[in-house]
Amino acid sequence: MDTFDAGAGSILRQPKAVWATAGASVVAFMGIGLVDPILPSIAQGLHATAGQVSLLFTSYFLITALAMLLTGFVSSRVGGRKTLLLGLAFVVVFAALAGTSGSVGQLVGFRAGWGLGNALFVSTALAVIVGAAAGGSAAAILLYESALGLGMACGPLLGAVLGNISWRYPFFGTATLMAIGFLCIAAFLKEQPKPARRTSLLDPIRALGHGGLASAAVSAFFYNYTFFTVLAFTPFVLNMTPYRAGAVFFAWGLLLAAFSVIVAPRMQKRFGSLKVLGASLVLLAADVLVLGYGDHTTAVVCTVLSGAFIGVNNTVYTELALGVSDSPRPVASAGYNFVRWFAAAAAPYCAPRIEEWTDLHMPFVVAAVTALLGALVVVVRRSALTDEAAEPAPRHATEDGVGVFAN
């Protein structure tokens, strides 16, 4: 797949502006899994239940979903550079405030502000990297995907190292790193050309009128519920020290990165996007079901293994969303992400409550069912998805300035 076959030289020989944006992207993606290994510590430190602490994810992703309607509106008016800086400023402020929280309610609220900042930043970063990169869009996209994978892998590790001292330190650490990213982007990134057409708040909603895009979004909604059951609920099931939990999710993140950037494109080229996606969703369903009913060692292995399936799914879904409709890619991706991130908000809220009402196994049964529902949508709606899925080479974002809270 040509998009991922760019030579190492072209990827590494990039302007300072690209490295500054990519480095900040790593930290931004770290923020997603940062709290994973310290969730039990936060619950203990703030005298909160697992259900209350899981709202850290719910508030974060609920605001992220709603912000998808806002990011294109903002960036098409003030430009990519100012949108990045605005997002980074929000993250710095709210991550630092999160570290000072005296109650779980305060922490949940500060994570919501953090989610707004992260949405503004991450949804714009790919467009900025593509616009400023040397070596063409293929090298830029691979660099962005690598930043995403590295951030998802290193977030739990940083959370574990700093969280072993205090659960507050990972939040202060993130604020510091993002402040450095703010200074680097302010110093090295010049303003990018604004899109020829301004995006309205309702454009992403209108884009979902396309059957293929709506199908991809609904399938991704079910999949994201499974994804974030693993990410937000499993730490309580594993019940490990921050260091050990961090190591588990670091390995999980490495698999996610490798399968997203390296394995998924090759599988798509050989078997086609829909077959790869359907099979990966079924395997993910089986994996989380075994995770829920296995012993502790089995749960650890299945948690790590889920990263492989999640990496494949992330890549295929993003490419479907970018290429299946005739809407401009920034608009299509915003509509797609608007739908799917609601599941990321729902899963951390629902999983602990399902456990309270039933038992420890049932949240994973529900997660397995939602993965299968995602696969079912792909099968039933395959004709609507065929235009993009039939093409071996994915139609990634290029000069039209896509903003994707990708993967």
Side-chain angles (χ1 to χ4, degrees):
M1 198 168 283
D2 295 340
T3 302
F4 293 88
D5 290 337
S10 62
I11 296 170
L12 297 177
R13 292 195 297 267
Q14 297 294 340
K16 292 179 181 179
V18 173
W19 287 118
T21 307
S25 297
V26 172
V27 182
F29 286 116
M30 285 170 62
I32 296 177
L34 179 81
V35 298
D36 254 24
I38 58 171
L39 285 175
S41 299
I42 293 173
Q44 183 178 4
L46 294 178
H47 308 290
T49 65
Q52 290 174 322
V53 173
S54 69
L55 292 176
L56 294 176
F57 285 97
T58 297
S59 63
Y60 183 91
F61 286 113
L62 182 60
I63 295 301
T64 296
L66 295 173
M68 285 301 124
L69 303 179
L70 182 65
T71 53
F73 178 87
V74 173
S75 63
S76 65
R77 285 163 174 76
V78 305
R81 181 177 181 272
K82 291 178 182 176
T83 304
L84 289 179
L85 293 175
L86 179 63
L88 287 170
F90 270 103
V91 174
V92 170
V93 170
F94 284 102
L97 288 173
T100 67
S101 299
S103 68
V104 69
Q106 288 181 351
L107 186 54
V108 168
F110 293 143
R111 276 283 284 184
W114 185 344
L116 173 60
N118 224 39
L120 288 169
F121 175 82
V122 178
S123 65
T124 311
L126 177 57
V128 170
I129 290 175
V130 170
S137 62
I141 291 166
L142 183 54
L143 184 63
Y144 180 83
E145 295 276 0
S146 301
L148 184 152
L150 184 61
M152 291 293 285
C154 292
L157 198 61
L158 177 67
V161 172
L162 296 179
N164 198 57
I165 305 170
S166 167
W167 66 263
R168 299 180 186 274
Y169 280 31
F171 299 110
F172 294 136
T174 299
T176 301
L177 291 173
M178 286 304 244
I180 295 172
F182 182 98
L183 294 175
C184 290
I185 288 177
F188 298 123
L189 180 65
K190 296 180 180 179
E191 186 55 81
Q192 303 283 295
K194 297 179 183 178
R197 176 181 176 274
R198 290 185 174 185
T199 301
S200 77
L201 291 175
L202 294 180
D203 280 351
I205 302 296
R206 296 189 185 102
L208 291 170
H210 185 279
L213 183 63
S215 300
V218 171
S219 179
F221 174 89
F222 289 122
Y223 155 66
N224 262 32
Y225 185 95
T226 308
F227 177 0
F228 285 93
T229 297
V230 173
L231 191 63
F233 184 66
T234 302
F236 293 104
V237 176
L238 298 180
N239 194 25
M240 303 168 80
T241 65
Y243 272 133
R244 291 186 177 182
V248 169
F249 279 96
F250 177 67
W252 169 86
L254 289 179
L255 273 186
L256 187 155
F259 275 74
S260 177
V261 176
I262 300 171
V263 177
R266 287 164 172 76
M267 293 177 65
Q268 288 174 270
K269 186 175 182 179
R270 182 170 181 179
F271 300 108
S273 294
L274 294 190
K275 289 181 180 178
V276 170
L277 182 59
S280 182
L281 287 168
V282 171
L283 290 172
L284 178 61
D287 181 78
V288 297
L289 198 60
V290 174
L291 193 164
Y293 281 92
D295 58 19
H296 189 268
T297 300
T298 302
V300 170
V301 172
C302 288
T303 299
V304 174
L305 184 60
S306 70
F309 307 124
I310 289 169
V312 171
N313 294 337
N314 286 348
T315 294
V316 179
Y317 271 121
T318 298
E319 290 168 7
L320 287 176
L322 292 181
V324 75
S325 78
D326 54 1
S327 297
R329 282 167 169 162
V331 174
S333 65
Y336 161 78
N337 283 295
F338 172 73
V339 173
R340 73 173 181 132
W341 286 115
F342 276 112
Y349 176 82
C350 294
R353 284 155 184 79
I354 292 172
E355 181 199 9
E356 293 173 4
W357 300 332
T358 55
D359 56 37
L360 185 64
H361 310 302
M362 192 53 63
F364 295 100
V365 173
V366 174
V369 170
T370 55
L372 292 176
L373 287 173
L376 181 63
V377 172
V378 171
V379 172
V380 172
R381 297 289 296 165
R382 61 187 179 278
S383 60
L385 297 168
T386 297
D387 288 344
E388 164 63 15
E391 298 184 7
R395 297 184 293 175
H396 278 289
T398 53
E399 69 278 2
D400 53 1
V402 65
V404 188
F405 200 160
N407 300 359

